[in-house]
Amino acid sequence: MRCPSCGYQESKVVDSRSADDGASIRRRRECLQCGTRFTTYERLAENPILVIKADGSSEVFNREKLMRGLLIACAKRPITPEKIDGLITSIESELRSSQRNEIKSRDLGDLVLARLATLDDVAYIRFASVYKDFQNVEEFSEALKELG
Ligand SMILES: [Zn+2]
């Protein structure tokens, strides 16, 4: 957020409030160099991540949906919702830091599985059976082998 007066990069937020019915945040900022105050509007989820499904259709990456799937996979396992939340956050930040704005649902499943494998074998298998869409027993056995 460059200062419109002097172009300096850094400013501090002096006031924040939601605008556009919560779709964006209006911020009053003060330039750290010259003290000029200016207003920015920051859209929330400005760059939604698209999940491309096997049939080619797509949907916006949905934390809650992934959370529900993971809660089912982790049912009665020693994994706290906080851990699952952290797992989703780490996937989200990996996607954002790699500047990807779309991912195949299968690749997303792989990102989840890579993390679940370090947490809990049972949750891994449960999630894998749903998301990897196993075609046959061999494929499922391969996934089991990957567990080591
Ligand atoms: Zn300035």
Side-chain angles (χ1 to χ4, degrees):
M1 299 296 164
R2 271 175 191 281
C3 168
S5 176
C6 71
Y8 194 64
Q9 289 274 18
E10 299 198 277
S11 58
K12 68 175 181 187
V13 175
V14 290
D15 185 38
S16 293
R17 61 190 63 189
S18 66
D20 298 333
D21 289 319
S24 58
I25 296 175
R26 175 187 178 279
R27 290 205 163 101
R28 282 297 284 168
R29 292 174 176 272
E30 187 178 288
C31 173
L32 290 182
Q33 183 161 266
C34 72
T36 295
R37 291 199 170 190
F38 55 103
T39 302
T40 57
Y41 287 88
E42 292 160 38
R43 291 200 65 80
L44 298 177
E46 190 168 7
N47 299 303
I49 298 164
L50 281 184
V51 179
I52 315 292
K53 294 191 261 185
D55 65 2
S57 64
S58 62
E59 62 181 24
V60 173
F61 175 75
N62 184 325
R63 264 190 93 91
E64 285 69 36
K65 196 176 167 187
L66 185 54
M67 185 75 177
R68 279 197 300 275
L70 279 164
L71 282 171
I72 292 166
C74 298
K76 295 181 182 163
R77 300 303 302 165
I79 304 172
T80 61
E82 289 72 31
K83 262 194 178 159
I84 299 174
D85 197 64
L87 185 154
I88 297 173
T89 299
S90 97
I91 289 172
E92 225 180 340
S93 54
E94 179 176 330
L95 292 173
R96 295 211 181 275
S97 67
S98 63
Q99 309 281 315
R100 289 172 74 170
N101 53 18
E102 62 175 58
I103 183 167
K104 287 184 181 143
S105 58
R106 198 181 170 106
D107 294 342
L108 177 62
D110 285 343
L111 290 180
V112 173
L113 286 171
R115 287 161 174 80
L116 271 186
T118 67
L119 283 182
D120 188 88
D121 291 354
V122 173
Y124 175 95
I125 292 296
R126 283 184 189 152
F127 193 87
S129 67
V130 176
Y131 276 82
K132 284 202 128 174
D133 208 17
F134 293 113
Q135 302 294 317
N136 53 47
V137 178
E138 282 76 12
E139 219 178 321
F140 193 72
S141 313
E142 281 304 311
L144 282 171
K145 271 189 228 153
E146 281 172 26
L147 287 176

